[in-house]
Amino acid sequence: MNKESNISANKNESYTWNEVFSIPIKIKVQQMITGMAIGDKYSVLNPSDTNLHKVEHRYGPTPILAYWINHPKEGNFLIDAGLSKAFKKEGNYNKFMRSILSSMNVKTSQSGYKSAFEFILEKNITLNGIFFTHLHADHTSGARDFSNKVTLIFATNELDSMAIKTTGNHLEGKKSKKLNMTEGIKIPPFDYALDIFGDQSLWAVSTPGHSPDHLSYVINAEEGPVLITGDAIAYEAQLKYKINPTPFIHNYEKAVESINKLESFSKAFPSLKIFYGHDIKYSEATFK
């Protein structure tokens, strides 16, 4: 993967979320279901949590998601890439990733759904880059479909040895930019926040734990603020009932801390529209 410069913010700036949301921007976001995974939802949650049973449809399909972002000046981007169009046939998970999913008895399908690439092609738009919440294969698979002109953007410490091992060739040959979260500004409840385009329309916020440098994204849209949690919160029930993730993630303590921060953020802004890592809350899975 080719590397480019980091993205950072002016640490001398200071905002509150109320100030940010008081001036909404004409930025659009649309959620896409790129496929489904079928397995036990409890496998990614803490087995000792007393609220575990409140997660509905334990063995039901789990959506694999991507998001299209349209900015009036900066153009078109994705947040996460979902499944590659290759999943209409054999898929593009490598042997190591397939073995992990097989051990968990998880089956993945794109039947009846479009990849992010097919969605973008249908819209006849030029994609400038892909922002990632984190570098796990179900979030990076679709990046393989796009040309090497599309820049991949993720947090500085996210590309660890496990990410390299599980994503296989998904990122191969692509340019990358790193979001240096430690250069961000503190906007409670988050320790680090980066104003991606410099106009307060799209913010990356640090929510580590599920992966080394996991990000969530806050979109300051005219229709109201939007939060994309990534896998910091996989299911709506996790936030609603404070169900913690499985201890077998990168850093359990940080993951719990990130959930607490996201819960605090959601309570402070009840009108916030929340898109969870692998859950569908809104009808037709879109917010335009």
Side-chain angles (χ1 to χ4, degrees), residues 13-232:
E13 294 175 340
S14 178
Y15 302 106
T16 66
W17 289 116
N18 279 316
E19 289 171 334
V20 170
F21 296 152
S22 70
I23 308 175
I25 307 298
K26 289 183 179 180
I27 186 171
K28 303 290 184 180
V29 56
Q30 181 168 345
Q31 186 182 58
M32 298 168 279
I33 305 174
T34 67
M36 290 284 178
I38 300 175
D40 186 357
K41 293 178 182 177
Y42 286 12
S43 65
V44 299
L45 303 173
N46 192 324
S48 64
D49 197 300
T50 57
N51 286 320
L52 193 62
H53 67 282
K54 294 181 180 179
V55 175
E56 297 179 346
H57 312 298
R58 176 177 176 178
Y59 295 101
T62 296
I64 300 175
L65 304 167
Y67 304 85
W68 169 42
I69 302 292
N70 174 257
H71 187 279
K73 292 182 180 179
E74 301 296 333
N76 298 287
F77 296 82
L78 292 179
I79 294 180
D80 288 337
L83 291 181
S84 165
K85 61 182 180 178
F87 272 86
K88 286 185 168 54
K89 295 182 179 180
E90 75 283 355
N92 73 341
Y93 287 161
N94 63 15
K95 185 177 180 180
F96 180 71
M97 187 63 191
R98 291 196 305 269
S99 68
I100 292 175
L101 294 177
S102 178
S103 69
M104 298 171 63
N105 198 27
V106 174
K107 296 181 180 179
T108 306
S109 170
Q110 202 178 60
S111 178
Y113 297 97
K114 295 177 183 176
S115 66
F117 177 81
E118 290 166 314
F119 177 90
I120 294 298
L121 189 65
E122 188 178 82
K123 293 285 185 181
N124 194 31
I125 59 179
T126 300
L127 191 72
N128 294 327
I130 305 173
F131 293 96
F132 288 99
T133 58
H134 63 298
L135 299 179
H136 287 173
D138 55 329
H139 296 255
T140 63
S141 167
R144 192 65 188 157
D145 296 338
F146 293 92
S147 80
N148 291 347
K149 293 181 181 179
V150 174
T151 302
L152 309 184
I153 308 158
F154 46 87
T156 302
N157 298 314
E158 184 59 24
L159 190 61
D160 66 351
S161 59
M162 182 56 71
I164 293 170
K165 194 171 183 180
T166 56
T167 57
N169 69 356
H170 297 170
L171 315 179
E172 189 176 282
K174 300 289 195 295
K175 297 181 295 182
S176 71
K177 287 185 179 179
K178 303 293 183 64
L179 298 174
N180 187 354
M181 298 307 294
T182 62
E183 291 297 319
I185 58 177
K186 184 181 179 74
I187 311 182
F190 305 109
D191 294 332
Y192 301 110
L194 284 178
D195 181 0
I196 300 296
F197 297 131
D199 62 358
Q200 301 183 34
S201 62
L202 176 65
W203 294 81
V205 295
S206 183
T207 52
H210 179 79
S211 65
D213 217 353
H214 187 285
L215 301 175
S216 299
Y217 291 89
V218 177
I219 302 161
N220 184 24
E222 280 190 320
E223 296 86 348
V226 177
L227 169 66
I228 295 175
T229 69
D231 284 2

